[in-house]
Amino acid sequence: SITVSTASIKGKERKEIIEEVQKQIKEAALQASKQVIMVCLEAEVTAKLGREKGSLRSVRGQPRQIDWKCAHCGCQDAHQFTRDGHYQRTVETKLGHIDHLRIPMLECQHCHHDVICQFSILEKFQRFWVDLQQDAFFSSGLGESLRAIRNRWSGELEHATGLRSINELINQVEPLVHRMREQHFPEAPTVVQCDGIWVTIQGQEAEIKPDKRQRKRHQRNGKKVVILVALGFWADGRREILDWQVANREDH
């Protein structure tokens, strides 16, 4: 016979109840996030068109040029665009997988083709939402490996995420860096502080050797580099990174 104490039964029941409550909270948060995203998408369509759903469009007035355009004729007059239903897609968030997300569609009345809608909160073909993008940028900046990010995301999303997908997501920050370096400051900072941060960047060599699981892997190496940072301070208390550059140990 097997004797089970009352304390162990209560502990097991308590754990199951907590897990069920956590599951319901997550599902409710996902549904709420889904509704908020769809409401924001509809609000952005209304703002672009300049009229509420069901309102008549003004075809005789002045053209209302917007940054959305027809994929066929290139028209950008919002007065020539009409709502054309929705299509469904999925997106991954830190809360989990959102399915059947309804995305508004527009049609051009000049040529009756689809309008390219560039939503501010959800890019076209974007698989990971902005919260996961920020998490990837922040984690990578702190030196967290792709495998560590993948393992953490797999637990949060409850399914595996490829290393390549995460790496491509992190590499999207490069155009933002170039854009940041091209901007001009309206006034020069009062003080400019320069400093260097030493870090080790991992790389791989041509030589292949087996790992602990006898899998063939390129031998890895570490390279010591310094990140030179210029930080600007203004009299009003504002401070901002002006620029940075990566240099090898041999350069100093």
Side-chain angles (χ1 to χ4, degrees):
S1 63
I2 300 176
T3 303
V4 181
S5 65
T6 307
S8 63
I9 295 177
K10 290 183 178 180
K12 184 178 179 181
E13 291 178 349
R14 182 173 179 272
K15 182 179 178 181
E16 291 176 351
I17 293 173
I18 293 176
E19 290 177 350
E20 180 63 26
V21 170
Q22 290 176 337
K23 181 180 178 181
Q24 293 183 13
I25 291 175
K26 183 177 180 179
E27 292 177 353
L30 274 174
Q31 290 300 318
S33 300
K34 179 179 179 180
Q35 295 300 321
V36 169
I37 292 175
M38 290 192 297
V39 168
C40 290
L41 293 174
E42 295 291 351
E44 189 166 358
V45 170
T46 299
K48 291 291 184 181
L49 298 182
R51 61 182 185 274
E52 296 289 340
K53 188 174 182 179
S55 301
L56 297 177
R57 58 191 180 94
S58 176
V59 295
R60 296 182 180 181
Q62 293 291 330
R64 190 172 187 273
Q65 298 294 326
I66 60 175
D67 54 354
W68 293 359
K69 64 179 180 179
C70 175
H72 181 71
C73 67
C75 175
Q76 293 183 258
D77 183 7
H79 295 321
Q80 302 300 326
F81 298 160
T82 58
R83 291 174 170 85
D84 190 30
H86 302 77
Y87 73 93
Q88 295 187 358
R89 57 172 293 186
T90 60
V91 65
E92 304 290 349
T93 72
K94 290 199 69 174
L95 293 172
H97 179 79
I98 296 181
D99 202 4
H100 303 300
L101 193 63
R102 289 168 53 85
I103 311 298
M105 300 172 61
L106 298 180
E107 182 182 79
C108 175
Q109 295 306 302
H110 270 313
C111 60
H112 300 286
H113 282 76
D114 293 335
V115 176
I116 302 175
C117 302
Q118 301 289 350
F119 294 102
S120 59
I121 67 167
L122 187 64
E123 298 178 5
K124 201 173 184 64
F125 308 118
Q126 178 183 351
R127 179 185 172 191
F128 301 102
W129 202 44
V130 62
D131 57 349
L132 283 178
Q133 291 181 345
Q134 292 176 349
D135 180 80
F137 296 155
F138 186 75
S139 300
S140 176
L142 292 178
E144 190 173 359
S145 67
L146 295 179
R147 294 185 184 277
I149 297 175
R150 182 192 62 179
N151 294 338
R152 179 161 48 81
W153 283 17
S154 297
E156 294 175 352
L157 303 178
E158 298 181 352
H159 63 80
T161 304
L163 295 175
R164 182 177 178 181
S165 299
I166 299 176
N167 190 45
E168 291 176 350
L169 191 64
I170 295 174
N171 289 337
Q172 291 178 3
V173 76
E174 185 175 357
L176 302 179
V177 173
H178 293 306
R179 192 183 309 170
M180 174 264 179
R181 287 181 165 174
E182 292 174 356
Q183 72 177 2
H184 299 281
F185 295 96
E187 58 179 347
T190 308
V191 177
V192 176
Q193 176 183 340
C194 298
D195 200 354
I197 305 173
W198 286 97
V199 297
T200 300
I201 298 180
Q202 288 191 348
Q204 63 181 21
E205 301 177 355
E207 182 181 353
I208 297 179
K209 59 183 298 186
D211 61 5
K212 294 180 180 180
R213 298 183 181 180
Q214 300 303 313
R215 297 173 298 184
K216 293 183 178 180
R217 295 288 188 266
H218 286 277
Q219 187 171 357
R220 306 188 67 82
N221 58 10
K223 186 177 182 181
K224 199 78 170 179
V225 299
V226 61
I227 303 177
L228 305 176
V229 182
L231 185 63
F233 294 85
W234 281 262
D236 57 1
R238 180 166 52 97
R239 60 180 179 177
E240 189 171 343
I241 294 178
L242 305 177
D243 201 1
W244 69 92
Q245 179 180 349
V246 179
N248 297 326
R249 178 189 288 270
E250 293 79 6
D251 298 335
H252 300 274

